[in-house]
Amino acid sequence: MKSILPTGNYPEALEIIKNLFTFPREKMELMIRDFQEEMHKGLAGTESQFKMIPTYMPLPTGNEKGYSLAIDMGGTNLRVMIVKLSGKQATPEIILSSKRELSRREMDTDAQTLFAVIAREIQKLLLQLELLNRKNNNIGSIEEVGFTFSYPVKMVNRNSGIIVALSKELAAKDLLGQDPFVLLFQALTALPVQTQLYPLSALKAAALLNDTVTELIYGAYLKNNEDSDYQCRIGGIIGTGYNFALLLDTNAILKFKEAEYPSRQMIVNIEAGNFDAASLPKTIFDQWVDQKSLKPGFYRLEKMVAGNYLGRITAWILKELIQTDNLFNANSDIIEKINNFTCVHMSLLEANYPGNQEKARELLKELGISPVMDEELSIIHEITTLVSTRAAYIAAASVAAIVLFIDPKLEQKHTIALDGSVFGKYPGYKAKMLVTLHQLLGNKAEQIKLEYISDGSGIGAAIAAKC
Ligand code: BGC
């Protein structure tokens, strides 16, 4: 591949990269237009980049009551929890929970391997609950299961659906076309030891959900609780993956024709990561990330903003700088090591540089990149900042597109419930999103609150199971 960077001239190379990574306001406005057009097409059922999936879920009332089991299978972690809801919008109580990272092998081998892991975690938690109950003896029965499965699933009704695509580089292809709840119950039945007090056979599939949907449900539950005029009708995840869900009047979902759905409103999962348009500020580096991904041409927006990909974009730029003798004296040994650079490294680096240079050096040393001169550290920091800042700008433009879709003149106040490691932990990310919203919307941006609400995928699923 021919390089676009000059040899041995970092200032000039940086100028070129900076230009590539700008996202001027006019282009953002075009992106908003294109994004909304895809939303309209998706709702109408015509061909669209957005699946706009009807979820059969309304917002919670706040009167949900009882114990439920919530499962959250995201892009990185698996969480299982028992949640108690007491009605009257009382704060949900997590009675027990477990969290573990899923290895690539567990996620990528096949459906059976993945769901066996989930089933075992559920069994472990129910065994713990039995022990707890022996002491307290006051925990009610556990029947309803709310399952957050954070991949594209076309819903058939509120508790079943078909996996229609694999995002976030998930490789277990036999998941396609299957129903996550069916896979889960098969795996539970196959467990050699069954629990007694809380029998696995008592569990019922109550709600199957996307993580953006549970985030919205939990956000709305909390907002109902507050004396606030900032309504929550949009939920999003900016973490390993990227996506949003929004609440719409059912009759605005033109393709949804089922008369039995009882509520006037329904949450729709956009599957927003799959956006692509000329207005999206793609660079040659994004092209390389896409080409090396499991599904080239798919989820282009997600590949520019989500944690799974930010490290890869940065790594491509740094490698290119090394190869053109603009960094590390063209030392090719470092190129291999740069491949292990992730969004977590970027985030920690930005948190520690320039304040704590030693910590920043340690991080690079862990990757085998050492010694690192002051100037080199500064270059790496400059590049991570460009990549993460552009990501925040693009994420903000997509938030603007979704808010304006439901409230074109911004006459109401909106809380956007957001979770995900990038939004929640990346230094300065939220602030940059807010600046962009102000640039785009002026003072009207005050009508939008971006609120970090963690645990939505777990607690939201527990609430949904009782809706
Ligand atoms: C998935 C979405 C999910 C998002 C955030 C994307 O890769 O396709 O369903 O909501 O990641 O986890």
Side-chain angles (χ1 to χ4, degrees):
M1 275 175 280
K2 195 173 162 318
S3 179
I4 52 153
L5 301 179
T7 306
N9 186 343
Y10 178 67
E12 207 179 290
L14 179 66
E15 265 324 291
I16 293 175
I17 300 168
K18 266 191 186 161
N19 277 334
L20 287 172
F21 276 78
T22 51
F23 190 19
R25 187 182 157 161
E26 312 80 68
K27 221 168 170 187
M28 285 187 198
E29 280 165 358
L30 290 178
M31 175 184 158
I32 292 175
R33 186 203 59 193
D34 297 340
F35 195 100
Q36 291 185 339
E37 207 176 296
E38 290 302 319
M39 289 176 75
H40 280 295
K41 287 199 278 181
L43 288 174
T46 50
E47 199 180 324
S48 163
Q49 291 162 6
F50 293 148
K51 294 194 167 59
M52 302 300 288
I53 301 171
T55 64
Y56 296 80
M57 287 304 302
L59 288 187
T61 59
N63 294 325
E64 295 72 21
K65 248 182 159 170
Y67 293 88
S68 43
L69 173 73
I71 306 158
D72 168 21
M73 151 66 193
T76 314
N77 293 311
L78 168 66
R79 284 197 81 181
V80 185
M81 54 173 81
I82 310 287
V83 179
K84 181 183 178 190
L85 300 168
S86 304
K88 297 194 185 130
Q89 280 141 13
T91 309
E93 199 185 329
I94 300 177
I95 306 287
L96 270 180
S97 78
S98 76
K99 178 177 174 177
R100 87 200 259 302
E101 212 170 292
L102 288 166
S103 68
R104 279 316 325 177
R105 195 194 57 78
E106 286 166 339
M107 298 219 293
D108 291 341
T109 310
D110 53 26
Q112 203 190 350
T113 311
L114 175 61
F115 279 78
V117 175
I118 305 177
R120 280 198 299 274
E121 281 302 303
I122 294 175
Q123 185 187 45
K124 263 198 249 162
L125 203 76
L126 291 177
L127 284 169
Q128 277 179 39
L129 193 68
E130 293 195 355
L131 290 178
L132 193 72
N133 203 51
R134 269 191 208 127
K135 285 189 211 146
N136 300 337
N137 199 21
N138 61 354
I139 299 164
S141 62
I142 310 280
E143 291 173 4
E144 284 89 357
V145 182
F147 187 4
T148 302
F149 187 77
S150 309
Y151 293 89
V153 173
K154 184 171 181 315
M155 300 302 296
V156 176
N157 52 47
R158 54 176 289 151
N159 64 356
S160 71
I162 299 299
I163 303 170
V164 284
L166 300 179
S167 48
K168 293 179 279 209
E169 309 298 296
L170 186 62
K173 285 214 184 67
D174 66 338
L175 283 167
L176 285 171
Q178 305 232 48
D179 182 330
F181 255 134
V182 171
L183 291 171
L184 179 65
F185 281 100
Q186 279 167 357
L188 286 171
T189 317
L191 286 174
V193 183
Q194 295 287 322
T195 45
Q196 286 172 0
L197 201 53
Y198 292 102
L200 295 170
S201 55
L203 299 177
K204 286 193 217 114
L208 177 64
L209 309 126
N210 186 257
D211 50 358
T212 56
V213 176
T214 42
E215 179 66 11
L216 170 52
I217 287 178
Y218 189 34
Y221 184 94
L222 294 173
K223 286 294 128 191
N224 282 344
N225 210 355
E226 274 177 17
D227 186 17
S228 160
D229 46 1
Y230 281 82
Q231 285 185 35
C232 182
R233 287 187 286 173
I234 299 171
I237 303 288
I238 310 177
T240 308
Y242 162 90
N243 187 17
F244 282 86
L246 79 169
L247 182 74
L248 287 173
D249 282 342
T250 313
N251 57 21
I253 312 170
L254 301 178
K255 66 184 175 187
F256 187 77
K257 303 257 171 359
E258 290 172 38
E260 306 90 80
Y261 179 71
S263 191
R264 207 174 49 78
Q265 294 183 311
M266 188 190 287
I267 301 174
V268 172
N269 166 14
I270 302 178
E271 282 299 323
N274 195 36
F275 180 70
D276 189 10
S279 51
L280 200 58
K282 283 171 293 187
T283 67
I284 181 82
F285 303 107
D286 299 297
Q287 212 168 302
W288 292 342
V289 168
D290 180 49
Q291 277 163 14
K292 291 280 174 200
S293 67
L294 270 187
K295 289 189 81 178
F298 176 77
Y299 277 58
R300 291 302 302 265
L301 172 55
E302 176 163 89
K303 289 174 189 165
M304 298 168 83
V305 294
N308 208 21
Y309 302 95
L310 294 184
R312 301 177 197 211
I313 305 172
T314 305
W316 271 113
I317 305 174
L318 295 178
K319 284 190 282 187
E320 204 50 21
L321 284 169
I322 297 171
Q323 263 156 358
T324 49
D325 195 14
N326 285 301
L327 179 63
F328 292 122
N329 300 318
N331 179 348
S332 56
D333 291 349
I334 297 187
I335 292 185
E336 264 308 294
K337 297 169 182 157
I338 294 272
N339 277 334
N340 296 324
F341 205 79
T342 65
C343 183
V344 176
H345 295 109
M346 295 170 68
S347 163
L348 289 172
L349 201 87
E350 283 186 46
N352 287 293
Y353 186 90
N356 186 348
Q357 301 212 6
E358 273 328 292
K359 177 79 193 160
R361 280 203 169 79
E362 249 171 57
L363 280 165
L364 293 168
K365 198 170 174 186
E366 278 165 25
L367 292 172
I369 307 172
S370 177
V372 180
M373 303 297 124
D374 285 355
E375 205 196 329
E376 291 159 349
L377 202 54
S378 150
I379 292 178
I380 298 174
H381 179 256
E382 235 154 359
I383 301 303
T384 65
T385 310
L386 281 175
V387 173
S388 63
T389 304
R390 185 193 64 166
Y393 290 172
I394 300 175
S398 51
V399 166
I402 301 165
V403 177
L404 293 171
F405 188 87
I406 52 180
D407 182 9
K409 294 194 179 137
L410 262 180
E411 288 160 328
Q412 293 143 17
K413 295 187 162 74
H414 303 266
T415 293
I416 320 293
L418 282 159
D419 199 359
S421 49
V422 176
F423 181 77
K425 298 196 184 130
Y426 206 109
Y429 197 92
K430 176 178 171 180
K432 286 174 188 164
M433 282 183 76
L434 288 173
V435 168
T436 313
L437 288 174
H438 269 95
Q439 267 172 13
L440 278 167
L441 307 167
N443 285 343
K444 287 255 176 180
E446 304 291 334
Q447 303 277 75
I448 303 174
K449 264 194 201 166
L450 304 180
E451 223 170 291
Y452 178 45
I453 300 178
S454 59
D455 272 348
S457 310
I459 298 176
I463 298 171
K466 293 285 185 182
C467 274

